[in-house]
Amino acid sequence: MLFNSLHFLVFLPVVLVLYYLLKHQYRWVLLFVASSYFYSVFYPPYLLILYAIILVDYSAGLGMERTTGFPRKLILLVSIVANIGLLSYFKYYNFFIDAANDTYAALGWEGNFKHLAIILPIGLSFHTFQSLSYTIEVYWKRQKAERHIGYFANYVLFFPQMVAGPIERYASLGEQLHIKQVLNYDNIANGLRLILYGLFIKMCVADNLAPLANQLYSNPGNVTTASTWIGLVAFAIQIYADFYGYSTIAIGAGRCMGIKMMDNFRQPYFATGIQSFWQRWHISLSTWFRDYVYIPLGGSRVSTARWMLNILAVFALSGFWHGANYTFIIWGLAHATLYFIEYFLHKTPLLPFTKTFSGRAIGGVITFTAVTLVWVFFRAADMTQAKLVFESAFGIAQTAEVIIEPTLWQLLPVAVFIVFEALIYGKRFEEWAGSYSVAIRWSTYAILAFCIVLFSGIQTYPFIYFQF
Amino acid sequence: MWKLLYKLGLAAVLLIVVMAIANPIYTRYFFKKDVGEAKGQILFDLDSLQHVCDVLYFGESSDFSYLESDTCHYSISEMIDTLSSKKVGRLSTHAQHAGSYLQLIKYIKPDSRVKTIVVTLNMRSFNAGWIYSKLETPLMKTNVFYQTYPPILRRIQVALNGYDNTPDEFRQKKMKWHMAHDKINVPDTFRYKNITDWDFDVGNNNAYGYYNPDSSWNGSKIELACHFIKTYAFSIDVEKTHVLPTLITL
């Protein structure tokens, strides 16, 4: 089910009313049914995959708690293989087939492995990573195994965040599901504020910018330089607004039930450096990779060369997590390169400069420009398309016939969004709104509602991160 | 609890006020553009034609198609207009189906000049290949703009995906499922019980001769086997599926 749908706007209130009417001990049943229904709207048979993940990891948690030594390791391995195996089959099978065929061709052999007609279950990368974090935590004895399969199922299935995060840890989400939540005005008010703001970001900002970005990528190498930059910036803001909007609605929906989820974004485009950008962008995934890949590899407590290798590994894996395409891996590696450049620049006399206001401002512009350019690898269908877009961006394309012209109605909501983001800097929307007088607060709601009613895009653009 | 209900009530009032303010602005400046983008221009054509025409012709692709070799290149509606004494208004759009027209007909006012309405039904209304085609998503969206409630509500409905916008890959899956499972009423002696059986055999066993004796492709037979029989013969009317063997023999 899409968040920006009438279906959801009916579904959520119904679930909330039933949730607060039911006794705490029955709520897990409601959440399980509601979450299953929420997911089944996309494609019912794929619920079975989620149930399989739940069953495997629930059993693995219990098994690990009762064993030690090699059997314990073996159970963890089974859980990892099951989760990554499912992900590999649905997401990476055809990619590996292509890679095998390419390798065979390069060796002069005839590789004729066939593609499978597989549809990636929506949000599979999110479920598997969330569920895996549980088994790893149980293995490390930092988390007690959940005994109630219903609660564990709800941890994996919790509908507000099941398809695109935030990727929560059991210690946070799982434990909160056990707590008896009472109907609380602040929770509902804050949750609804977040949902309103999230809908505005998705429907008015992301969906209005999507056609501009699409125009650039559907005419690669044939767009004027100025228009290419319009398209590039449009995509940079679109992907942020799309994912940030989704996360904000997810956090809001959870909050309405008294569940607090982690922030996934903290104004990443106001970051003054790449390191800072990654502390603000898709935080739940970054911290997942930090905790379960980077630190186990030795983190930064190793030689510089080894540290660089660790960083490269994390970024490459992060890129590959996003999609089964070389472009995503290159996107990850490009970020690693920027990360290294910044790291070594900080070791030079430039460091004091970056502590001044003007230095930070320049740093912010450079970071935004670099991130915007690197998004090309993320958005392009293949390296050829990426190359053509870069050629257009730097004015060396063979042709330049297409002009991208944003309308005032596309730009107005973006301007409103940027103003809001500057105003709420360092806070979440609901905290910011809640700190003002009734008049300002309700005027804000009116502005957001007016924008949604009048300026939301009428083309359907599914949440970009659903495909991951 | 009461505070919450009071605030929710206030929010509902705010929303109604916002929509009441936005509706005239939207209707005046944006509605036409949105409807045009959704390929629903006939909504406005209908507004003007219903006061000057005796007959309204709601057609689909059949009202655009003709063969180059045809001596007359008039569309059906143009032909009716030319041959009859009545003034015919053409409201045809490619890939439309009866569901859309049903909605549009509600726009015909009692004081209009229209006395006759012609609605053509194409195969989209009958078989899985069309019912679950990806074209259905934009049609469903356009249909929302054809509703009779205030334009701003129609816009919100579209923006909030308040129509069947099943992703293409899932439509494909549904279509294939129906092609494999929809029962057809054919004689027991007939080898094929559904479209999938037919498709498989034609594709793999070359049962109905893709090739001419000189090994060249037989375009007419391929068209007959892969397009007309597969798309239509299995679906049109269960009572008439006995035409299949006859068609094959052809």
Side-chain angles (χ1 to χ4, degrees), chain B residues 219-233:
Chain B
S220 313
K221 280 192 177 175
I222 290 168
E223 197 175 8
L224 179 70
C226 297
H227 186 59
F228 293 109
I229 295 176
K230 176 178 156 185
T231 312
Y232 304 132

Side-chain angles (χ1 to χ4, degrees), chain B residues 7 9 13 17 27 36-38 50 127 145-146 161 172-173 192 201 235 249:
Chain B
K7 288 291 177 74
V13 171
V17 171
T27 311
E37 272 178 29
Q50 65 174 298
N127 70 66
F145 281 114
Y146 294 159
N161 300 292
Q172 282 276 328
K173 272 189 175 275
Y192 309 102
D201 212 16
S235 332
T249 321

Side-chain angles (χ1 to χ4, degrees), chain B residues 72-130:
Chain B
C72 171
H73 285 186
Y74 276 176
S75 66
I76 304 169
S77 57
E78 284 167 339
M79 209 174 289
I80 300 171
D81 190 37
T82 311
L83 298 177
S84 77
S85 57
K86 305 286 184 194
K87 174 77 185 149
V88 178
R90 183 194 201 201
L91 290 161
S92 300
T93 311
H94 286 289
Q96 280 289 2
H97 58 63
S100 309
Y101 296 142
L102 179 71
Q103 199 50 46
L104 280 167
I105 287 167
K106 292 178 185 168
Y107 273 92
I108 300 173
K109 294 171 183 145
D111 62 344
S112 76
R113 198 177 128 179
V114 179
K115 296 285 177 291
T116 309
I117 297 167
V118 179
V119 176
T120 60
L121 290 175
N122 62 6
M123 293 307 161
R124 182 181 298 279
S125 310
F126 299 105
N127 70 66
W130 282 107

Side-chain angles (χ1 to χ4, degrees), chain B residues 146-163:
Chain B
Y146 294 159
Q147 301 301 315
T148 45
Y149 38 81
I152 196 73
L153 292 181
R154 291 179 236 173
R155 177 179 217 283
I156 286 291
Q157 189 178 340
V158 168
L160 285 172
N161 300 292
Y163 56 95

Side-chain angles (χ1 to χ4, degrees), chain A residues 4-6 456 458 460, chain B residues 7 141 155 160-161 163 173:
Chain A
N4 53 331
S5 67
L6 285 178
S456 49
I458 60 159
T460 304
Chain B
K7 288 291 177 74
K141 183 201 277 187
R155 177 179 217 283
L160 285 172
N161 300 292
Y163 56 95
K173 272 189 175 275

Side-chain angles (χ1 to χ4, degrees), chain A residues 274-397:
Chain A
I274 285 295
Q275 208 171 339
S276 163
F277 174 81
W278 279 103
Q279 286 164 353
R280 295 151 172 263
W281 180 272
H282 203 175
I283 299 164
S284 63
L285 181 70
S286 308
T287 49
W288 196 100
F289 275 111
R290 182 198 64 198
D291 293 348
Y292 304 118
V293 181
Y294 179 67
I295 292 174
L297 284 173
S300 58
R301 293 179 180 177
V302 286
S303 66
T304 306
R306 177 61 200 266
W307 168 78
M308 288 177 72
L309 212 62
N310 292 347
I311 292 283
L312 272 177
V314 167
F315 275 107
L317 277 175
S318 168
F320 200 46
W321 176 89
H322 282 89
N325 196 330
Y326 294 112
T327 50
F328 287 106
I329 300 172
I330 290 170
W331 170 77
L333 293 176
H335 268 285
T337 309
L338 293 173
Y339 200 92
F340 295 143
I341 292 170
E342 183 180 293
Y343 175 80
F344 289 112
L345 275 179
H346 273 62
K347 289 193 174 296
T348 67
L350 279 169
L351 183 60
F353 169 72
T354 58
K355 286 192 170 173
T356 63
F357 177 77
S358 52
R360 282 203 302 273
I362 293 170
V365 172
I366 293 172
T367 305
F368 179 74
T369 311
V371 169
T372 299
L373 282 171
V374 174
W375 279 129
V376 172
F377 296 113
F378 194 95
R379 175 64 175 78
D382 50 42
M383 290 305 289
T384 312
Q385 196 186 48
K387 179 176 162 275
L388 291 170
V389 172
F390 280 125
E391 284 176 0
S392 295
F394 295 108
I396 50 171

Side-chain angles (χ1 to χ4, degrees), chain A residues 2 4-6 9 42-43 119 183 185 188 192 203 409 442 445-446 449-450 453-454 456-460, chain B residues 1 3-4 7-8 10-11 18 22 26 30 141 152 155-163 165 169-170 173:
Chain A
L2 294 171
N4 53 331
S5 67
L6 285 178
L9 296 185
F42 294 115
Y43 188 58
I119 300 175
L183 182 60
Y185 172 78
I188 301 277
L192 293 180
M203 295 169 68
W409 313 115
W442 283 80
Y445 304 153
F450 190 77
V453 166
L454 213 52
S456 49
I458 60 159
Q459 298 296 328
T460 304
Chain B
M1 178 68 174
K3 185 183 174 189
L4 181 65
K7 288 291 177 74
L8 288 175
L10 270 186
V18 165
Y26 175 67
F30 303 103
K141 183 201 277 187
I152 196 73
R155 177 179 217 283
I156 286 291
Q157 189 178 340
V158 168
L160 285 172
N161 300 292
Y163 56 95
N165 64 350
E169 58 266 38
F170 297 137
K173 272 189 175 275

